[in-house]
Amino acid sequence: MRAFALACRGLRRRWMRAIIAAVVATVLLAVVLDRLFPLPLPDERGGSNVVLARDGRPLRAFPDADGTWRYPVAPDAVSPLYLDALLTYEDRWFRRHPGINPLALARAAAQRLRYGRTVSGGSTLTMQVARILDPHSRSALGKIKQLLRAVQLEAHLSKDEILTLYLNHAPFGGTIQGVEAASWAYLGKPAARLSHAEAALLAVLPQAPSRLRPDRHAALAQRYRDKLLERMRELGRWDAATVADARRENVAARSLEPPLDAALLAQRLRAAYPAARSLRSTIDRELQAAMEARVQNYLARLPERTSAALLLVDNASLQALAYVGSGAYADPQRLGYVDMVRAARSPGSTLKPFLYGLALDDGLIHSESLLVDAPQSFGDYRPGNFDQAFNGPVAAAEALRLSLNVPAVDLLDRVGPARFAARLANAGLTLHWPRGAGPNLALILGGTGATLEDLVGAYAALNRGGLAGRVRLQAGDALAERRLLSPGAAWIVRSMLEANLRPGQSRDTFDPGRRARLAWKTGTSYGFRDAWALGTTRRYTVGVWVGRPDGTPVPGQYGAITALPLLFQAVDSLPHAAEDAAPAAAPSTVAEMDICWPLGTAFEPAQPQLCQEKRKAWILDGGVPPTLPERDAGNWHDARLRLRVDARSGLRLSGGCHAAQEREIVVARWPALAQPWLPHWQRKASQLPALAPGCADDGLDAGASLRIAGVAPGSSLVRAPGSTRPPHLSLRALGAQGVVQWLVNGRIEATLDASRPFEHDFGEAGPQAITALTRAGNYAQVEIQVLR
């Protein structure tokens, strides 16, 4: 017995050593195989990309190199109903087994032997992931390979990591992979918001993705879905009432169209972050869709090669809510692949509000400062207005609203082009110059380049207390803002622009007060290449560009006609609250005051004769700047002129000239260039007394000798009997030297040497004011009547 016991113990030792050796050998073999055949895990860095709206819904998906559509998603971002249906249908023991379920495999093998076909599969979810990652044949060798891969997966990854691989790589038909892409493609919603019926449908699709595609085989897909619903009821996962309701939902066939909203923004973000699989933008998907539809519908009325861009920004956060880079994405005729939100184009007159704001901050003007819209020379630069007409004396607010060019160039000349451009650049509005060029006076009329994106970021400053900033395209972008204007200047400029009536509207037009207050400005580049409209309300700032991306002129298309209607459509369709229609309270630095023209200063009750025209103006920081002095030294004179006059005759006394009785008077004089546009009573009010006989010339009557010859004041012109030609005049400016500009009703008709006559046909009936104006500011004017 003792010998038998010793023999048994020896046998056990040999068996233990053999078992240990076998285990060690198996482990070593597993390690070697694991090293020789590593897991073919997908490289998520090279997969497809998706750009999301602010709420997580996809705007645009980019396929991977194989053309596969996949939207990355984690288990906690998928509906629990789907996970419940998936695990119940595919692998109820997923959380417990080591990758292989021997009982399920044995059951599947027995059923195959008994029925000669596969009745139920024995694959676990881990085994399905193994087959997705490393496809194999259906042979016995292929099955062994799948089993080994499943064990290898369990050894390297957690259950949640394995589940995530399935959620993102399971086949759902065609080029669609993953439940999130399938949910959007087939159901038009995220996988986080699935109903019971939808969860069951997506759970069964990977079993036969080609045969069960809802877009092609809706009825068959519904039968498989209903089988899973019934199984969920039988297993007690979902109650009978829930399953009955789910079965009532029909599986609808729908075409598969990947999302394509904010296409150019998505392309821009993907190019900036190529390694990111998912990019969340700031875009509001509903507003984006609405703005894209408005732009596309609006383009239908424009020439066929015209495009448009629109950018909508939230003022509080500077986040872009809608980004329409092209009116017709991918349309080759409209060059729809060009992102015009980022393109540098001539901004036309859209920079003028910032110039007026800077002039306010500099103490050069207040809102009603007297500016002169008349022909002027700035060195070799002689700007004109869009319609080639001039308005004479205008208030700063009116000059801005009418977008008059000469007053803007005059202001820029005083502020300094380089300083103005630097101020804009510091606030984020970078101007683009041709090679070798730099800031000059033409920049305020569009002689530079700017992007719609930068312009919108700057216009937002008018409703952000003067703070401009970079438009934010992703929620994670830092808020970058810089001061462009003081809060008071921003408020005054906004008030100026808000007073700009919409085309077709008059001051007495009934307004129910429901529209948001809108400060708006248009611009047109030279040659009708770019039409702009920008507007800002209390909550939003919107910018619109219309034109041809290739820069071809579109005659007749300009800001107020082409871009402005689209701006109004966009703004009027935005959500707004009651307070948006109410005026914002003025900052403490802004006050309202009565000022007087022509001096531009506060009303002086002690000298009412100096106030020829009283206006209410917004002033900044208590300063009331006077009317700007004449730029040309030859035109300059003191606006508040003190004179000695003979008390008896009222005649003017000069230098050493005296009278028995003298008194001092004060006369308020208008700028010389404004004189031709003044009504008779204002000219008379600022007219100087005649110089007393015997007094030396004091130089105050310069230019008085200029007169127009060729027609008498008050004449009436009529067409010759039987003639079809309009009345014609040949006029000369007597007493003028150098260049003379001839204006008819404020519009320049000719610029001639004083020696040459002005020839003009008067084709329009009615009153005609003919003005001869020299560069020194001397002028003569006659008024005639043209009869029909």
Side-chain angles (χ1 to χ4, degrees), residues 322-341:
Y323 185 115
V324 185
S326 168
Y329 176 70
D331 183 341
Q333 280 200 321
R334 299 187 188 271
L335 300 183
Y337 52 83
V338 179
D339 186 354
M340 297 308 298
V341 170

Side-chain angles (χ1 to χ4, degrees), residues 719 726-727 760-765 786:
R719 184 178 300 167
H760 188 72
D761 291 331
F762 292 85
E764 294 185 8
V786 176

Side-chain angles (χ1 to χ4, degrees), residues 503-537:
Q505 187 180 21
S506 62
R507 297 289 175 191
D508 57 356
T509 300
F510 174 72
D511 182 2
R514 294 173 187 158
R515 284 176 173 164
R517 294 178 70 88
L518 176 67
W520 59 273
K521 182 74 183 72
T522 61
T524 307
S525 69
Y526 177 76
F528 302 98
R529 288 175 170 82
D530 306 278
W532 303 84
L534 290 110
T536 177
T537 69

Side-chain angles (χ1 to χ4, degrees), residues 93-94 96-102 126 150-155 159:
W93 308 103
F94 173 69
R96 302 179 187 177
H97 62 63
I100 300 171
N101 188 339
T126 308
V151 174
Q152 191 179 18
L153 277 169
E154 294 283 349
K159 290 290 186 179

Side-chain angles (χ1 to χ4, degrees), residues 89-438:
Y89 181 64
E90 296 287 0
D91 191 353
R92 282 185 291 164
W93 308 103
F94 173 69
R95 296 288 179 181
R96 302 179 187 177
H97 62 63
I100 300 171
N101 188 339
L103 294 179
L105 287 173
R107 183 188 68 247
Q111 290 174 339
R112 184 171 182 81
L113 289 173
R114 181 178 179 182
Y115 299 104
R117 59 183 176 86
T118 301
V119 177
S120 62
S123 297
T124 63
L125 196 68
T126 308
M127 292 171 64
Q128 294 187 44
V129 172
R131 186 172 65 245
I132 292 170
L133 299 182
D134 189 6
H136 58 81
S137 65
R138 294 188 175 275
S139 63
L141 185 60
K143 198 67 175 178
I144 293 172
K145 179 181 177 183
Q146 181 185 16
L147 295 174
L148 293 175
R149 285 295 193 195
V151 174
Q152 191 179 18
L153 277 169
E154 294 283 349
H156 284 275
L157 304 178
S158 67
K159 290 290 186 179
D160 283 340
E161 289 172 330
I162 295 171
L163 179 59
T164 300
L165 285 173
Y166 182 87
L167 296 178
N168 286 304
H169 295 274
F172 280 86
T175 58
I176 299 171
Q177 282 189 9
V179 65
E180 186 72 8
S183 185
W184 281 109
Y186 295 123
L187 305 173
K189 64 196 305 187
R193 299 192 321 204
L194 298 176
S195 67
H196 289 79
E198 292 165 341
L201 173 65
L202 295 185
V204 301
L205 285 186
Q207 286 301 307
S210 297
R211 292 193 304 115
L212 300 181
R213 282 180 56 167
D215 61 321
R216 295 180 179 177
H217 311 289
L220 184 61
Q222 184 163 329
R223 287 203 301 271
Y224 273 74
R225 180 207 68 180
D226 290 348
K227 289 180 180 179
L228 175 54
L229 288 172
E230 185 61 24
R231 185 174 181 183
M232 297 297 286
R233 184 193 65 77
E234 292 172 352
L235 296 174
R237 303 297 302 176
W238 297 343
D239 60 59
T242 297
V243 170
D245 287 341
R247 289 172 67 99
R248 294 190 183 97
E249 290 187 26
N250 290 323
V251 174
R254 51 172 286 173
S255 61
L256 295 183
E257 294 185 3
L260 197 61
D261 295 317
L264 288 172
L265 170 63
Q267 190 169 302
R268 173 179 175 178
L269 292 178
R270 185 199 184 205
Y273 305 96
R277 301 279 64 79
S278 178
L279 292 162
R280 188 181 292 261
S281 72
T282 60
I283 297 300
D284 182 299
R285 198 166 183 268
E286 278 71 29
L287 287 177
Q288 177 70 28
M291 294 303 150
E292 286 188 357
R294 288 196 175 278
V295 171
Q296 290 171 5
N297 292 337
Y298 190 76
L299 275 186
R301 70 184 74 174
L302 299 178
E304 61 180 7
R305 296 185 182 275
T306 306
S307 186
L310 182 148
L311 182 62
L312 165 64
V313 169
D314 175 76
N315 290 335
S317 64
L318 285 178
Q319 292 185 348
L321 302 179
Y323 185 115
V324 185
S326 168
Y329 176 70
D331 183 341
Q333 280 200 321
R334 299 187 188 271
L335 300 183
Y337 52 83
V338 179
D339 186 354
M340 297 308 298
V341 170
R342 306 170 67 190
R345 303 298 288 253
S346 167
S349 296
T350 58
L351 301 179
K352 288 177 180 175
F354 311 124
L355 174 63
Y356 281 79
L358 185 55
L360 283 162
D361 276 330
D362 284 350
L364 293 176
I365 61 170
H366 49 66
S367 69
E368 294 296 312
S369 284
L370 170 59
L371 304 179
V372 181
D373 181 35
Q376 295 189 55
S377 295
F378 302 85
D380 295 332
Y381 185 45
R382 293 185 62 81
N385 287 323
F386 185 77
D387 58 1
Q388 296 303 310
F390 293 91
N391 299 268
V394 291
E398 184 181 11
L400 176 58
R401 287 194 291 269
L402 294 177
S403 198
L404 301 178
N405 289 341
V406 175
V409 174
D410 186 21
L411 273 182
L412 182 60
D413 189 46
R414 299 171 194 270
V415 168
R419 176 169 171 258
F420 179 59
R423 185 68 169 266
L424 294 178
N426 180 67
L429 204 174
T430 301
L431 301 182
H432 301 261
W433 305 97
R435 186 183 299 274

Side-chain angles (χ1 to χ4, degrees), residues 431-501:
L431 301 182
H432 301 261
W433 305 97
R435 186 183 299 274
N440 53 55
L441 293 178
L443 79 85
I444 199 61
L445 307 185
T448 183
T451 68
L452 179 60
E453 184 174 344
D454 286 350
L455 284 169
V456 169
Y459 266 79
L462 301 181
N463 268 293
R464 303 183 77 249
L467 289 173
R470 185 177 66 240
V471 176
R472 303 165 69 190
L473 304 177
Q474 291 183 274
D477 290 345
L479 178 63
E481 53 187 2
R482 289 285 187 88
R483 181 153 301 283
L484 176 57
L485 302 172
S486 70
W491 188 92
I492 293 175
V493 171
R494 188 181 76 237
S495 298
M496 290 176 173
L497 296 177
E498 283 180 347
N500 209 1
L501 296 175

